[in-house]
Amino acid sequence: MISSTIKHFSSYISLLLILTTHNFIPSHSENCNPDDKKALLQIKKQFGNPTQLSSWDPTTDCCNSTWLGVTCDNFTPTYRVTILDIFDLNLPKPVHFPPSITNLPSLEILSLTRIPNLVGPIPLSIANLTTLQYVTIKQTNISGEIPYTLSQIKTLVTIGFTYNKLTGPLLASLSTIPSLAGIAFDGNQLTGAIPESYGSFPSFFTGLLLSRNRLTGRVPVSLGKLNLADLDLSRNMLEGDVSMFFKSNILTYTISLAMNSFAFDIGKVGLSTNLEKLDLRNNKIYGTLPEELANLRHLHKLNVSNNNLCGQIPNLRLFDESCYAHNKCLCGSPLPACKT
């Protein structure tokens, strides 16, 4: 207890000294690490010096909170750049991923979003970012395969490469990242099967979002070992039995399997009481809807249309006819009454 108190008191004194020293640094001094500043100015140049990055002024300190999208770790003497969050860049011509981004060795968060003229592959040198925890590349025209070196970054917690033009297979070695909690590759042109290795993600892995790609084949049964809070495999060309994702004993919030060729008996699955969204439309799912659906207090989106379902619809007042349409023999409100 005493040693813990001393440790916290020492930390407080250290922080106080840093903040006090900072207040008396002469105006000509900089906190920004010179190597990081050099890398940032190179990034700006590689982006074509867009006006949105005009705050990246070489005469100012990159750690003074005025450089757009740049955040430094101000609680250590090194003042390294730890966050780079760049968005809505209006690039006059197509620009490849700025290679100097990988020269920011202390980066923990990288986000590049809504940059339509960002093109080309993600460089293999992204593995240089050995402290990276969260990476997002969203709504760009980045293309090529997911870099195989990504799995070398053992600190990654989430990977979000959504709505780009990535091609090729899913990276099987992602399952070797010990800290990974979720991946999102929605809205690309990825092909092939979901790797068997994805069933070996860490126990705290909770998000698997792969919708709007060109994935094929059966989903490995090994994925049933995952305790997913959010699952989205919709709008692919997947097939087979995915009943292993339906569990009553875990916190599942969303299951989206729409527009594939999945086939299983929906009447034999378990349902999480936390379920908020269940989208199964346009598959080959059969059986009778489980009565437990009526007990899901958080369910606000349901669509089981265009399947092979039969039998009485549970007492669900929130959903209209379109949510159940085009099934083999579903009946009961809001569809016509069941025949006795």
Side-chain angles (χ1 to χ4, degrees), residues 30 32-50 53 55-58 60-64 67-72 79-86 98-105 107 109-110:
E30 283 196 19
C32 186
N33 180 280
D35 292 334
D36 287 358
K37 185 172 186 178
K38 179 181 178 181
L40 288 169
L41 293 174
Q42 280 295 111
I43 292 166
K44 179 181 178 181
K45 182 179 179 181
Q46 289 161 0
F47 268 130
N49 295 308
L53 299 184
S55 61
W56 293 20
D57 184 342
T60 62
D61 185 351
C62 75
C63 290
N64 67 0
W67 284 42
L68 179 71
V70 175
T71 302
C72 299
Y79 280 78
R80 302 306 297 257
V81 174
T82 55
I83 300 175
L84 186 62
D85 180 11
I86 301 176
S100 292
I101 287 178
T102 65
N103 293 333
L104 295 170
L107 209 58
I109 299 174
L110 171 62

Side-chain angles (χ1 to χ4, degrees), residues 111-129:
S111 180
L112 305 172
T113 60
R114 299 189 300 274
I115 310 176
N117 262 349
L118 184 60
V119 301
I122 301 169
L124 298 179
S125 58
I126 194 170
N128 294 343
L129 303 177

Side-chain angles (χ1 to χ4, degrees), residues 61-276:
D61 185 351
C62 75
C63 290
N64 67 0
S65 301
T66 62
W67 284 42
L68 179 71
V70 175
T71 302
C72 299
D73 176 4
N74 294 340
F75 296 101
T76 64
T78 55
Y79 280 78
R80 302 306 297 257
V81 174
T82 55
I83 300 175
L84 186 62
D85 180 11
I86 301 176
F87 53 91
D88 292 329
L89 287 191
N90 182 23
L91 305 179
K93 62 180 181 179
V95 171
H96 281 241
F97 187 107
S100 292
I101 287 178
T102 65
N103 293 333
L104 295 170
S106 298
L107 209 58
E108 297 175 2
I109 299 174
L110 171 62
S111 180
L112 305 172
T113 60
R114 299 189 300 274
I115 310 176
N117 262 349
L118 184 60
V119 301
I122 301 169
L124 298 179
S125 58
I126 194 170
N128 294 343
L129 303 177
T130 56
T131 61
L132 196 62
Q133 297 179 37
Y134 305 93
V135 56
T136 300
I137 301 177
K138 180 179 181 180
Q139 290 178 278
T140 75
N141 276 297
I142 284 287
S143 59
E145 296 189 0
I146 300 168
Y148 69 87
T149 55
L150 198 64
S151 58
Q152 297 174 17
I153 309 175
K154 301 305 182 182
T155 53
L156 281 171
V157 178
T158 63
I159 303 169
F161 296 159
T162 58
Y163 296 95
N164 301 293
K165 290 186 176 178
L166 294 174
T167 55
L170 290 166
L171 188 62
S173 59
L174 291 181
S175 60
T176 65
I177 301 175
S179 53
L180 198 61
I183 59 175
F185 296 144
D186 310 69
N188 284 283
Q189 300 166 21
L190 300 173
T191 54
I194 297 175
E196 182 81 30
S197 61
Y198 281 18
S200 300
F201 280 127
S203 59
F204 47 82
F205 185 92
T206 58
L208 182 63
L209 309 177
L210 304 174
S211 70
R212 297 174 185 267
N213 280 287
R214 300 171 184 174
L215 301 175
T216 55
R218 292 177 173 268
V219 178
V221 176
S222 62
L223 270 66
K225 293 183 289 186
L226 303 176
N227 293 323
L228 296 174
D230 297 288
L231 169 68
D232 193 348
L233 304 179
S234 62
R235 297 175 184 267
N236 281 287
M237 294 175 279
L238 297 165
E239 58 185 347
D241 184 354
V242 287
S243 58
M244 65 280 194
F245 289 124
F246 292 81
K247 304 174 187 178
S248 58
N249 60 343
I250 64 172
L251 297 176
T252 301
Y253 299 105
T254 63
I255 297 179
S256 298
L257 304 173
M259 304 181 77
N260 284 284
S261 294
F262 294 129
F264 61 94
D265 188 343
I266 189 67
K268 296 182 179 179
V269 303
L271 295 172
S272 169
T273 56
N274 302 90
L275 200 61
E276 299 174 357

